[in-house]
Amino acid sequence: NAGVTQTPKFRVLKTGQSMTLLCAQDMNHEYMYWYRQDPGMGLRLIHYSVGEGTTAKGEVPDGYNVSRLKKQNFLLGLESAAPSQTSVYFCASSNTGTGGNYGYTFGSGTRLTVV
Amino acid sequence: SQQGEEDPQALSIQEGENATMNCSYKTSINNLQWYRQNSGRGLVHLILIRSNEREKHSGRLRVTLDTSKKSSSLLITASRAADTASYFCATDAYPGGTSYGKLTFGQGTILTVHP
């Protein structure tokens, strides 16, 4: 089925460890986004990409890096995990035009716990 | 800072009743979108309303937009137990330039529909 696939679905890290979250979409969308969701905070944008080879910072980029080497994949990296990065991470993709985007397709999320 | 503020934070109703959720925002927008999130799942796009539209319908959903008041409402008619979920408004805003399709989410309304 077409959509956005996130791996892994769950992960527990120790403080200082690193990891990469993978997002893959098969809808040929140009735009991809990484959000984190925390209780009472809604979703906050970490980084985004407007096309292959491009990345840009969102609202809360500190402690994260991203790469978009292929159009269908958007990777989110944590170089040195901290307990404050315990969260649920969502990837989304969209087609976007001059009138704004036409609605995101979200992945099912990655639940990350940093101990 | 949150672009979208939702009201109420929680809503509990009986099956068959209507549910109304409200969203206020701060800046000019390209469009406003509503999403549903079932517990432990990703967000699902429900409906998008553009800044030059005032009302839009999709099945049992009715969305209104008042750009002069910077507010929107989502009405779910004849609610069902399966409508139990969190509902988020999200704005595609462009203050001072292109949004690149970035969405800013509200904190959400938790809707519980009792059978």
Side-chain angles (χ1 to χ4, degrees), chain A residues 62-112:
Chain A
D62 294 343
Y64 305 95
N65 57 74
V66 287
S67 65
R68 184 115 180 255
L69 299 180
K70 293 183 179 180
K71 185 176 183 178
Q72 63 267 35
N73 296 336
F74 195 27
L75 278 63
L76 178 70
L78 286 75
E79 290 188 347
S80 180
S84 60
Q85 294 177 305
T86 293
S87 187
V88 182
Y89 292 85
F90 287 100
C91 176
S93 70
S94 78
N95 278 328
T96 297
T98 54
N101 80 68
Y102 303 113
Y104 283 359
T105 300
F106 275 90
S108 58
T110 295
R111 187 173 296 275
L112 175 66

Side-chain angles (χ1 to χ4, degrees), chain A residues 15-35:
Chain A
T15 298
Q17 287 185 320
S18 63
M19 78 164 294
T20 300
L21 283 68
L22 171 64
C23 176
Q25 54 96 2
D26 58 4
M27 296 168 288
N28 203 35
H29 285 171
E30 289 289 341
Y31 290 62
M32 297 186 74
Y33 310 85
W34 276 106
Y35 285 83

Side-chain angles (χ1 to χ4, degrees), chain A residues 31 33 35 37 40-45 48 50 59 90 94 96 98-104 106-108 111, chain B residues 1-2 30-31 33 35 37 40-45 48 50 88 92 99-108:
Chain A
Y31 290 62
Y33 310 85
Y35 285 83
Q37 184 178 31
M41 299 290 291
L43 279 80
R44 292 181 292 167
L45 181 65
Y48 65 101
V50 301
E59 181 186 355
F90 287 100
S94 78
T96 297
T98 54
N101 80 68
Y102 303 113
Y104 283 359
F106 275 90
S108 58
R111 187 173 296 275
Chain B
S1 63
Q2 292 291 331
N30 287 317
N31 62 66
Q33 304 176 28
Y35 288 81
Q37 184 180 35
R41 307 293 294 273
L43 283 75
V44 174
H45 182 258
L48 179 154
R50 301 204 178 279
F88 295 87
D92 184 334
S99 70
Y100 296 109
K102 294 177 290 182
L103 291 181
T104 302
F105 287 82
Q107 295 180 353

